[in-house]
């Protein structure tokens, strides 16, 4: 081979990129895409109250394993469910109720559409359920089923209101205040009475502020003037 030809070959070799030898990466167009992290929950759970961390962890554990008892409440599209976490103890409870579905409608000439009648009512029902250390516990309050009636009111009159007239399938005394009331602002359990393990009557009261998820509850003994438990916490709203 002539010297001139050898020189040309060496010149061409010297101009070729030696990326591997110099530790360089391939062009961006040839780079392998990075794997996208996969999360089990599109909407990750965030505990609403740092003081209720233990109760939140028990709730999250049940969600991770798709516990049927819990999921049946949270996945019901016709219900609104409030999950409330008690601070300082491994307990949380649910208040779940059906949304009103009114059949009494009328034609509004101004709006040119069907609207709910002013005197419309609908049957309603729901339940409360408590979990102790991640296990449904019928001895932990609140824990009862209820039924009653929704009454339709315009927003200017406070919106729809529900009043229970049956608790655990027993009709309430007409002279007694309704046990559970729901309106646009609050959910209230008013003087729910039960017998504890010492055969004493306990009066339980609960208020959930629907706009913020805050709740307060009291436990009062029959002979006590001051509640022996008076605490507050936060709830998550699960509604579809």
């Amino acid at each position: 081979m002539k010297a001139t030809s050898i020189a040309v070959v060496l010149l061409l070799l010297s101009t070729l990129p030696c990326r591997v030898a110099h530790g360089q990466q391939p062009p961006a167009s040839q780079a392998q895409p990075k794997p996208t992290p996969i999360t089990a929950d599109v909407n990750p759970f965030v505990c609403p109250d740092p003081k209720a961390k233990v109760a939140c962890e028990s709730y999250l554990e049940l969600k991770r394993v798709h516990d049927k008892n819990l999921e049946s409440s949270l996945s019901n599209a016709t219900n609104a469910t409030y999950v409330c976490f008690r601070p300082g103890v491994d307990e949380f409870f649910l208040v779940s109720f059906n949304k009103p579905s009114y059949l009494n409608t009328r034609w509004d000439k101004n709006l040119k559409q069907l609207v709910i009648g002013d005197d419309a009512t609908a049957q309603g029902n729901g339940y409360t359920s408590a979990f102790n250390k991640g296990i449904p516990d019928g001895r932990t309050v609140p824990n009862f089923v209820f039924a009653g009636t929704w009454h339709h009111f315009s927003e200017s009159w406070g919106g729809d209101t529900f009043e229970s007239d049956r608790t655990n399938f027993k009709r309430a005394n007409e002279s007694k205040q309704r046990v559970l009331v729901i309106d646009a602002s609050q959910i209230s359990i008013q003087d729910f009475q039960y017998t504890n393990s010492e055969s004493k009557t306990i009066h339980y009261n609960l208020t959930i502020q629907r706009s913020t998820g805050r709740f307060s509850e009291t436990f009062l003994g029959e002979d006590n003037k001051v509640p022996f438990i008076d605490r507050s916490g936060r709830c998550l709203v699960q509604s579809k």
Side-chain angles (χ1 to χ4, degrees):
M1 183 179 292
K2 295 182 180 182
T4 304
S5 300
I6 295 174
V8 171
V9 172
L10 292 175
L11 178 63
L12 291 172
L13 290 174
S14 65
T15 59
L16 291 175
C18 188
R19 301 181 185 277
V20 176
H22 291 83
Q24 297 179 13
Q25 298 297 322
S29 60
Q30 301 178 10
Q32 295 297 322
K34 295 182 180 181
T36 302
I38 299 175
T39 57
D41 194 347
V42 176
N43 299 312
F45 168 71
V46 177
C47 184
D49 184 357
K51 296 179 181 178
K53 180 181 178 181
V54 178
C56 286
E57 288 175 348
S58 291
Y59 170 78
L60 182 57
E61 181 183 30
L62 292 171
K63 284 204 68 178
R64 282 173 174 166
V65 299
H66 302 288
D67 180 78
K68 298 299 182 184
N69 197 346
L70 183 64
E71 282 200 339
S72 62
S73 299
L74 304 183
S75 62
N76 192 332
T78 63
N79 278 23
T81 301
Y82 289 72
V83 187
C84 304
F85 302 90
R86 285 174 169 151
V89 293
D90 193 354
E91 293 179 7
F92 66 90
F93 61 88
L94 278 61
V95 179
S96 183
F97 55 90
N98 71 317
K99 303 169 188 175
S101 178
Y102 299 105
L103 299 178
N104 183 3
T105 58
R106 62 178 178 82
W107 181 258
D108 190 299
K109 294 181 180 180
N110 296 324
L111 297 176
K112 296 182 180 180
Q113 64 181 23
L114 286 174
V115 297
I116 301 172
D118 296 333
D119 57 348
T121 61
Q123 294 301 303
N125 58 71
Y127 67 91
T128 65
S129 177
F131 289 73
N132 186 354
K133 297 179 176 62
I135 301 172
D137 187 358
R139 299 168 298 178
T140 302
V141 177
N143 215 312
F144 59 88
V145 296
F146 56 86
T149 305
W150 282 100
H151 298 270
H152 175 67
F153 296 101
S154 64
E155 292 298 326
S156 60
W157 286 87
D160 298 325
T161 299
F162 171 84
E163 291 184 344
S164 68
D165 56 19
R166 281 162 289 165
T167 306
N168 286 340
F169 308 104
K170 295 181 180 179
R171 187 165 294 277
N173 187 339
E174 295 300 330
S175 63
K176 183 182 176 182
Q177 193 176 28
R178 304 305 188 197
V179 170
L180 190 139
V181 176
I182 303 169
D183 59 28
S185 176
Q186 295 181 336
I187 302 170
S188 300
I189 295 178
Q190 303 168 349
D191 195 28
F192 174 71
Q193 299 180 24
Y194 68 97
T195 303
N196 66 4
S197 59
E198 299 177 354
S199 299
K200 294 182 179 180
T201 300
I202 305 299
H203 299 257
Y204 176 73
N205 290 273
L206 168 73
T207 300
I208 299 174
Q209 192 70 17
R210 299 184 67 179
S211 60
T212 62
R214 288 180 176 269
F215 78 87
S216 63
E217 61 181 350
T218 60
F219 294 77
L220 181 68
E222 188 74 27
D223 301 325
N224 301 120
K225 295 182 179 180
V226 179
F228 60 88
I229 295 179
D230 185 351
R231 63 186 164 202
S232 59
R234 288 187 176 272
C235 308
L236 288 178
V237 184
Q238 304 288 335
S239 180
K240 296 193 175 184

